Amino acid sequence: FLLAVTTGLVFAKFSIPRARVQFARHPTIGPYDGVPTLQFRIGNERASRLLEAVIRVVLIRTEKTKEGVTLYRMYDLKLERERSPALSRSWTVLHKIEPGSLLHGANPESLVRDEVELILTLSVTDELSAQMLYAQARYDAKDIRWGARHADMLSERPDGRLRLDMTRFHDVVPTRPTDEFPYGTI
């Protein structure tokens, strides 16, 4: 009886699929098509694809109410694309910082002062088991790299085929400062 129970427990523990999703170490804020954009990179560590990926990004910051009460407020950030039909390699999630964005007019100091946190929640369906998988990442204001973007992972081979270099997954590169976005160093 003890052997059967132990075998069942071990099987149950190891048969639960894990998302095995990787989030880049640092989100970045830099120009993207001429607009300052908050960017996150997500990667699939599995050999199989993850289907119907849905990402949510929540910004949490300290605020004072009109009554003088200090509290943490949560806001959903509007994303350029919050769904992907399949996550086979990587996905860069974008939030454009335009008028109306909670980050419009923000700078590194204001995000630290307001104790800004970003929480990403990803839900996907595993292609092989058809089970829902979940992954989450959390970033503080100090984790954000201003005046940067994620490094390119695609390069062209001499024969014209593309090569994906996952060793550059966490790398960020500086962007050029502009009058509207004066940040240019990591």
Side-chain angles (χ1 to χ4, degrees), residues 29 38 59-62 97 102-118 140-142 144 146:
I29 296 180
L38 173 64
L59 180 140
I60 303 171
R61 69 179 178 196
T62 305
I97 304 174
L102 291 168
L103 296 172
H104 190 261
N107 59 47
E109 295 79 23
S110 69
L111 293 188
V112 170
R113 179 193 67 227
D114 294 340
E115 301 177 51
V116 168
E117 296 176 41
L118 298 165
D140 289 325
K142 66 181 175 11
I144 299 171
W146 288 75

Side-chain angles (χ1 to χ4, degrees), residues 166-178:
M166 290 300 284
T167 63
R168 301 201 69 199
F169 183 80
H170 295 287
D171 295 351
V172 295
V173 295
T175 57
R176 195 173 304 142
T178 64

Side-chain angles (χ1 to χ4, degrees), residues 16-78:
I16 298 172
R18 304 261 185 256
R20 289 189 36 214
V21 170
Q22 188 170 25
F23 295 88
R25 283 186 205 102
H26 301 284
T28 62
I29 296 180
Y32 183 89
D33 285 338
V35 178
T37 303
L38 173 64
Q39 302 175 41
F40 305 93
R41 182 177 275 171
I42 303 170
N44 178 9
E45 295 180 323
R46 305 168 72 89
S48 62
R49 293 180 310 160
L50 299 172
L51 306 175
E52 291 302 319
V54 177
I55 186 80
R56 294 246 190 252
V57 179
V58 174
L59 180 140
I60 303 171
R61 69 179 178 196
T62 305
E63 292 184 0
K64 274 198 190 260
T65 65
K66 291 178 182 177
E67 296 76 26
V69 177
T70 302
L71 49 86
Y72 290 111
R73 297 273 314 259
M74 288 190 260
Y75 299 94
D76 292 324
L77 291 184
K78 181 178 181 267

Side-chain angles (χ1 to χ4, degrees), residues 146-164:
W146 288 75
R149 65 175 179 79
H150 293 101
D152 293 330
M153 295 190 313
L154 286 177
S155 60
E156 192 171 343
R157 295 179 179 179
D159 63 2
R161 293 185 305 148
L162 292 177
R163 177 180 179 268
L164 179 67

Side-chain angles (χ1 to χ4, degrees), residues 7-23:
T7 302
L9 290 173
V10 169
F11 179 75
K13 175 68 177 164
F14 291 108
S15 68
I16 298 172
R18 304 261 185 256
R20 289 189 36 214
V21 170
Q22 188 170 25
F23 295 88

